[in-house]
Amino acid sequence: MLRKLLASAALVIAANAASAATCQYGTEADFTENADVWTSTNCVGQISDPVNDSASAMNSYAGGNGVFDINNWSLNSRWEEDDGSYSPAGILSIVDNGDKTGSWMVDSWAGIGSAALVVKGGTGWAAYLLDMTAGLSGGWSVFALTNKGGQTPDISHISLYTTPEMAPIPLPASGLLLVAGLGGFAAMRRRKKS
């Protein structure tokens, strides 16, 4: 009986710990209640192995499928909370409100196919797939993260990872010839019927 009680208590504690590290995404309207990063369309909750984010960690996540099933992420910019520096200095700008929240902004989405904002604090990080159609700015918080004591940590750094925009695939010349040929064939059939 005691073993069952202890096992049940362990499950409850594990469930509570897991829910504390659950990320939430959404729009600006959702931010005060739900979202950890707006404007985002998906998220991956606290990742603690490795403890720090990197392009390698983003691309090798989920057995090599990558975070959000994208495995060609590269670091565009990283903001460090301790001194407010950016390294490298990409398109990202961060405002820290000092209460575990703030805002982010980018200069432009030109040439970018996908973008993910990574929030690091405590013993892990969370990644948010940004909705690039919703504008150039949004909000962030560390509420999806926990430290070793199970509390919400202070921000360590915020990173922007991007992928290159895919160039449109041109229709081969043979495809254009095929379309023209089919059009000519259809025109000849119409003439024969008349």
Side-chain angles (χ1 to χ4, degrees):
M1 180 70 169
L2 182 58
R3 279 188 183 170
K4 286 184 180 180
L5 183 60
L6 290 175
S8 296
L11 285 174
V12 169
I13 290 169
N16 287 339
S19 67
T22 301
C23 63
Q24 299 179 36
Y25 56 90
T27 65
E28 184 174 4
D30 298 323
F31 188 64
T32 54
E33 295 178 18
N34 300 322
D36 303 314
V37 168
W38 62 270
T39 53
S40 56
T41 60
N42 200 351
C43 64
V44 176
Q46 183 157 331
I47 300 169
S48 296
D49 184 22
V51 173
N52 285 308
D53 61 285
S54 66
S56 174
M58 292 281 288
N59 293 323
S60 64
Y61 182 79
N65 290 330
V67 175
F68 309 118
D69 291 326
I70 299 171
N71 60 13
N72 63 334
W73 294 111
S74 62
L75 178 63
N76 178 283
S77 185
R78 173 170 288 142
W79 170 81
E80 297 288 343
E81 190 279 332
D82 61 350
D83 63 3
S85 67
Y86 293 87
S87 177
I91 61 172
L92 180 66
S93 297
I94 295 292
V95 173
D96 183 358
N97 293 340
D99 61 354
K100 303 179 191 298
T101 66
S103 59
W104 61 269
M105 184 177 77
V106 296
D107 299 330
S108 166
W109 292 125
I112 295 174
S114 300
L117 196 71
V118 171
V119 178
K120 165 68 172 97
T123 58
W125 46 284
Y128 300 85
L129 186 62
L130 296 179
D131 181 358
M132 295 171 28
T133 65
L136 300 173
S137 62
W140 62 266
S141 78
V142 293
F143 298 137
L145 303 174
T146 58
N147 59 23
K148 289 181 181 177
Q151 304 298 312
T152 302
D154 290 330
I155 188 72
S156 168
H157 62 262
I158 296 177
S159 305
L160 178 67
Y161 290 90
T162 59
T163 64
E165 185 174 46
M166 298 296 289
I169 300 172
L171 186 61
S174 59
L176 292 175
L177 288 173
L178 177 64
V179 170
L182 290 174
F185 182 70
M188 286 176 41
R189 285 187 73 191
R190 279 192 220 133
R191 283 187 190 159
K192 281 186 176 182
K193 286 184 180 179
S194 348

